[in-house]
């Protein structure tokens, strides 16, 4: 455990956890998980791309960047009717949280006004709302909160030392500034990263250290396994060892015991056995639905079947 007065979780303590024998790490993560999440339900969140493609950023993993030839066409912001229809379907399928993603570098104030209409409509359905819209100014975060936004997703992706290998159109500090504005506005933070981008183990420890040492740490921590999309710079990255991915989930659970650790992009390629290990390591949230922004996701029926097989309950909507 970290020393009093020091960082909650120094990177070397996190590295030591990642390096534990696998069974020991799983045992520790499961103990923390049971202590803090005795009911053990899995949160089901649905993600809808409300404005797809044409993004001026160059995140090396992302098919929505206008710099890469990935076949993703730029679209306009969806209407209130379109989003309401998708949110109703998500709610009826059991989702409790509805996340809306827009491929902007940083929204303009008029974009925020339109987003606020979407947020209010989703909120009216009794769903928790989440948005991921790029970098925010403090006044924009306040406006989103006033419209009823519960969560804002803004991922750190990796450790600061590896960040410029992944994206060069912004700085790590830009991410931290937006996260601070979101927190200051009273919006809960959803923030995580991606495994399998060619990062070294030290960068995985560095990412978890960034997250776990936030005060407070994020309420939701999505951990993604890189989906290697043809046309993106990271399309040919060596895939991460699935057991190393499970290790990162376990360490996220141990270091951020009250966070919803979300098994996010890349579940399709992990297979059921590795997903089961992730749940055992402390993952307690999944993206639910057949598409994750623009990449595939296990379909709803498959997910329901897997949860049943494992005797896991989805956290159902109350509205
Ligand atoms: S991850 Fe987001 S910011 Fe980066 S290119 Fe894709 S849509 Fe743009």
């Amino acid at each position: 455990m970290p020393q009093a007065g020091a960082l909650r979780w120094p990177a070397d303590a996190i590295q030591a956890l990642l390096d534990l024998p696998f069974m020991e790490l799983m045992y520790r993560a499961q103990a923390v998980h049971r202590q803090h999440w005795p009911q053990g339900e899995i949160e089901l969140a649905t993600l809808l791309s409300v404005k797809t493609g044409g993004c001026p950023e160059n995140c090396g993993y992302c098919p929505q960047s206008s710099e890469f030839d990935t076949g993703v066409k730029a679209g306009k912001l969806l209407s209130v009717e379109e989003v309401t229809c998708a949110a109703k379907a998500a709610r009826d399928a059991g989702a409790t949280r509805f996340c809306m993603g827009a491929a902007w570098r940083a929204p303009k104030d008029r974009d925020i006004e339109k987003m606020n209409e979407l947020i209010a409509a989703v909120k009216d359905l009794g769903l928790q709302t989440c948005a991921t819209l790029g970098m925010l100014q403090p006044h924009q975060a306040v406006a989103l909160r006033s419209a009823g936004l519960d969560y804002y997703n803004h991922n750190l992706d990796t450790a600061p030392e590896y960040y410029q290998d992944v994206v060069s159109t912004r700085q790590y500090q830009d991410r931290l500034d937006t996260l601070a504005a979101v927190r200051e506005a009273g919006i809960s933070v959803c923030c995580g990263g991606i495994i399998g981008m060619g990062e070294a183990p030290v960068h995985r420890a560095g990412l978890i250290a960034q997250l776990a040492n936030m005060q407070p740490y994020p309420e939701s921590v999505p951990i993604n396994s890189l989906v290697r999309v043809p046309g993106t710079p990271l399309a040919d990255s060596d895939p991460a060892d699935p057991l190393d991915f499970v290790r990162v989930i376990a360490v996220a659970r141990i270091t951020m015991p009250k966070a919803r650790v979300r098994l996010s992009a890349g579940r399709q390629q992990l297979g059921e056995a590795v997903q089961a290990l992730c749940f055992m390591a402390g993952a307690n949230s999944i993206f639910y639905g057949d598409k994750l922004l623009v990449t595939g996701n296990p379909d709803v029926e498959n997910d329901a079947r897997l949860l049943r097989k494992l005797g896991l309950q989805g956290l159902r909507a109350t509205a």
Side-chain angles (χ1 to χ4, degrees), residues 61 193-197 199 222-228 239-242 245-246 249 262-270 274 278 292 295:
Y61 50 82
I194 307 174
I195 306 304
M197 299 192 294
E199 74 284 350
I223 304 290
N224 301 276
S225 169
L226 177 70
V227 178
R228 292 171 296 153
D241 184 314
F245 183 78
V246 178
I249 298 271
R262 180 172 307 130
L263 198 46
S264 302
R267 272 200 304 127
Q268 212 163 26
Q269 69 211 15
L270 291 178
V274 175
C278 290
L292 259 189
T295 61

Side-chain angles (χ1 to χ4, degrees), residues 1 9-22 24-26 28-29 208 247 250-255:
M1 288 294 290
W9 284 101
D12 56 355
I14 291 170
Q15 187 68 59
L17 285 174
L18 283 170
D19 291 342
L20 281 172
F22 188 78
E24 175 66 20
L25 176 59
M26 293 294 276
R28 291 197 199 182
I208 298 292
R247 283 176 182 276
V251 174
R253 168 52 64 225
I254 292 169
T255 56

Side-chain angles (χ1 to χ4, degrees), residues 55-59 61-62 64-65 102-105 170 175:
C55 181
E57 300 275 34
N58 68 353
C59 309
Y61 50 82
C62 182
Q64 301 202 67
S65 168
W104 287 313
R105 178 172 200 272
R170 58 168 185 263
R175 301 305 266 184

Side-chain angles (χ1 to χ4, degrees), residues 8 11 19 22 38 53 58 67 74 95 102 109 123 142 168 179 184 204 219 287 308 310 314:
R8 245 185 106 245
D19 291 342
F22 188 78
N58 68 353
E67 284 198 20
D109 285 351
K123 194 86 182 156
V142 169
S168 64
L179 290 166
E184 183 64 28
R204 293 174 188 162
E219 284 78 8
F287 272 126
R308 267 200 310 278
L310 297 173

Side-chain angles (χ1 to χ4, degrees), residues 96-151:
T96 54
R97 190 182 304 174
F98 192 74
C99 310
M100 291 168 273
W104 287 313
R105 178 172 200 272
K108 300 185 173 63
D109 285 351
R110 65 171 183 270
D111 298 324
I112 296 287
E113 282 168 27
K114 289 183 192 153
M115 279 308 304
N116 284 348
E117 290 175 28
L118 302 183
I119 290 162
V122 172
K123 194 86 182 156
D124 278 351
L125 297 173
L127 286 158
Q128 289 182 334
T129 54
C130 177
T132 181
L133 314 173
M135 291 182 281
L136 293 182
Q137 299 295 318
H139 71 278
Q140 295 178 320
V142 169
L144 290 167
R145 179 66 195 135
S146 303
L149 188 68
D150 297 305
Y151 285 80

